[in-house]
Structures are given as C-alpha cells and as structure tokens.
Amino acid sequence: MSKTPILLLGPTGYLGSTVLSRLLAHPKKDTFEVTVLIRSEDKARKLETFGVKPVIGSIKDTALVEKLAEQAHVIFNIADSDDMGATKGFLAGSKKRHKKTGDVPVIIHTSGTGIFMFAGANNGLSITDRIFSDDDAEDIDKSTPDSALHRNVDLVVLKADEEGYAKTYLVLPSTIWGVASNPIIDAGIANKFSIQVPAMIRAAIGRGQAGIVGKGQGLWNGINVNEQAEFYVTLYDAITTNPSAVGHGHNGYYFGENGEYTWYELAKAIGKALVKRGLSTSDEPTTFSKEELIKYFWTEEISGIWGSNARVKAPRARSLGWQPKLTIEDFLASIDAEVEAHLKHQKA
C-alpha cells in the first residue's frame, strides 16, 4: 500500500513540534511518509529515530521548499506565517505536482488571529466590540485590509485554491499558551515556549514588575498549545474522511480559541507569580515606558500587539468535532508554572 507523502514545515517550533508529535501518534501513522525540513544535522539525526525523513535546509531556500512540496500530497506549514518566499516555494511545488500528476494537494497553512488587530485600538486603552467568526468568510474577506498582519501571505495561499491546483485551509490560532511538552521537545529538538506570553514574562522579570501597554485594555482569545495542535489532526482527518464536507479556500478559515482575556489579566497573573518568588514587591502591573517597549518587544510598533484587540469565535472549527476544554481560567492559572519554567530556562 502506498503511503501518503506529507511535508511539515516548522518541526522544531513550539506548535510545529506539537503537531508533528500528534501525527506520529496517529492511529494511521504507518500510512504516513512524513518529511520535515530542518537546519541542524544533529537534530535531523535525532528526528530520524522518530520515523520521519529529515531534509537538511532552510525555508529560506525557496528552490528546496519547492522541490519538497512537489513530492507531497499534504503540506502542513507551521513555520513563519509571514515568510512569503517559503510560501511561494511550496505553492510552486504544489502547482508542479498538480500539473504533472493531476493530484490536488492539501495545504494546511498557519496564519493567526492577529490579522484582526486592525479592528481595535492597539494602545491598550480600549476594548473593541468587533468579533470575527470563522464561518463568516464574506465578512473576513470584505473587512480585512490587505495590509493586515499575515494577510499578504494568506491571500497568496487563497489564490492557489482559487486557481484549483490545491485545496487550501487557513488555521488562525489566537494566543497559544502553555509550556509545550512532547517527545520531540524532550529529545532536545524543539522549542517549548510560545511568543506572546513569554515576551511579557521576560519583560516583567527584567523590570522587576509586571507591565502592560497603556491600561492593558485589549481583548484576545487564547488556546492551549496541545488543543490547538489537536485541531490540525482533526482537520486532517476530516479532509481525508469526507473532503466535500470541509470548507477550503475562502470557506476554509479555522480559528483557534476557547475564551477571551485582557492583557491586564495576563499581566496581573505574571505579577502574582513574581511576588510569590520575591522578584517583585507588587503584583499590580504598571505601564511600560517607551524605552521599555523597545527593549523588551523589539520595536515600539511591534509592542502594539500586546495592547491590541483581536476577538474571534470558531464555530467552523468546532463543527469538525474539535472540542477544546481548557479555559481562560486554566490559562491564567498556568502562568505561575510558566514563570517558573522561564526562570529555570534563564539559569540553564
């Protein structure tokens, strides 16, 4: 029996390694031929022991990405959502495959609900009432400007579906939370930390007090890393079981969320964890200065993410049978352990 050729980009990442671990534990794993692109020869050798085929290289090598994509029926892109070169590479490979074989590849591309930050202030001073739903593609497409975060790449992926040489599915996680733990991370191959929460933790530790942009008045959704990874498998299973019932292209937006939090609530949880460890005298967050925004969040413009609104709901994702159970209360309760994990990581 021939195996399904799968290409996964981002195998050493926080989310990518978690998805890869789920695929390797899948009941039909013996029918998969999973190829991953990885820069490190040492990590490639370790990955081989998991039964995957590692290829040494980078997503910056567009020709290599194209070549690997041409060999794949299914592509999971869980690498950099904003890498246009890599995206054009795997799309070109899929187009070649379609032209040569007639196969219509499945492309599951990772974007993010950050595309909706345009719909509310990003200065931490207000909460928007604008909420996007993943089952209202018309609203998403009409309302989202081409200049929105990730959107330029998303549009290129959507065009591939429009042209008919691939079926594309856009997965848009919200704030992914939790310290990841899976066999690939345990083997020293992958990263166990996300981006948004760790950045706030590092800033709080660095300044000795939890911080917020403005008043911390912005709303985002959250989703646990394991439950977000599980959605990729749910989506894949739905596509392979009954593809006609699974929306793709402009009807293939799938959000990852299970509740909302304010940036103030997150900062307050970090503050409590610092006080508990004697690293701060107050758990009350204070406003970041301009200098701190640049120091801890790369640039003042990027720091706006931590004071923005990006509100969504995910009925389309849930319609596939995905049922996330961990709540925002679980998220905030997890911050204490994540602060501890970062402190240990700093000492290592």
Side-chain angles (χ1 to χ4, degrees), residues 89-249:
F90 67 70
L91 291 176
S94 294
K95 193 171 188 176
K96 281 186 177 180
R97 180 181 179 85
H98 176 68
K99 187 175 182 180
K100 289 181 180 179
T101 69
D103 181 35
V104 181
V106 168
I107 298 174
I108 299 174
H109 172 73
T110 307
S111 177
T113 61
I115 70 169
F116 302 119
M117 290 191 299
F118 71 87
N122 65 354
N123 55 14
L125 299 179
S126 62
I127 291 176
T128 180
D129 59 2
R130 186 71 159 93
I131 302 175
F132 291 86
S133 176
D134 64 2
D135 67 354
D136 192 343
E138 184 178 1
D139 180 38
I140 295 168
D141 287 332
K142 283 186 175 181
S143 302
T144 309
D146 292 356
S147 59
L149 182 68
H150 312 314
R151 187 62 173 170
N152 61 328
V153 175
D154 290 356
L155 289 172
V156 172
V157 175
L158 289 168
K159 187 176 180 182
D161 193 279
E162 291 169 11
E163 293 181 5
Y165 65 83
K167 287 187 177 179
T168 67
Y169 306 82
L170 296 183
V171 180
L172 293 85
S174 52
T175 295
I176 308 179
W177 61 267
V179 178
S181 177
N182 59 62
I184 296 172
I185 288 174
D186 293 343
I189 298 170
N191 167 47
K192 63 182 177 182
F193 295 115
S194 187
I195 297 173
Q196 286 169 297
V197 175
M200 287 189 70
I201 291 174
R202 287 192 297 269
I205 293 171
R207 70 200 293 266
Q209 187 165 6
I212 46 176
V213 175
K215 295 181 179 179
Q217 293 301 300
L219 273 173
W220 269 65
N221 301 84
I223 187 68
N224 176 262
V225 61
N226 294 313
E227 295 190 322
Q228 181 62 67
E230 193 59 40
F231 174 73
Y232 284 82
V233 178
T234 299
L235 175 59
Y236 172 82
D237 286 345
I239 293 167
T240 54
T241 302
N242 189 8
S244 63
V246 184
H248 58 90

Side-chain angles (χ1 to χ4, degrees), residues 35-96:
T35 299
V36 299
L37 185 59
I38 187 166
R39 292 190 297 269
S40 164
E41 291 188 11
D42 177 60
K43 290 181 179 180
R45 285 191 293 270
K46 291 179 180 178
L47 271 175
E48 277 186 313
T49 66
F50 287 89
V52 302
K53 177 185 176 184
V55 175
I56 304 296
S58 165
I59 60 171
K60 299 299 182 184
D61 186 342
T62 305
L64 178 58
V65 172
E66 180 178 332
K67 178 183 176 182
L68 296 176
E70 188 179 347
Q71 299 165 3
H73 172 62
V74 180
I75 297 172
F76 288 89
N77 180 30
I78 318 176
D80 185 350
S81 300
D82 299 313
D83 195 313
M84 182 65 82
T87 303
K88 287 184 175 179
F90 67 70
L91 291 176
S94 294
K95 193 171 188 176
K96 281 186 177 180

Side-chain angles (χ1 to χ4, degrees), residues 205 277 279 338-348:
I205 293 171
R277 290 164 177 80
L279 298 175
E338 183 146 358
V339 168
E340 182 65 23
H342 278 277
L343 290 169
K344 289 181 178 178
H345 183 69
Q346 285 182 352
K347 291 178 182 179

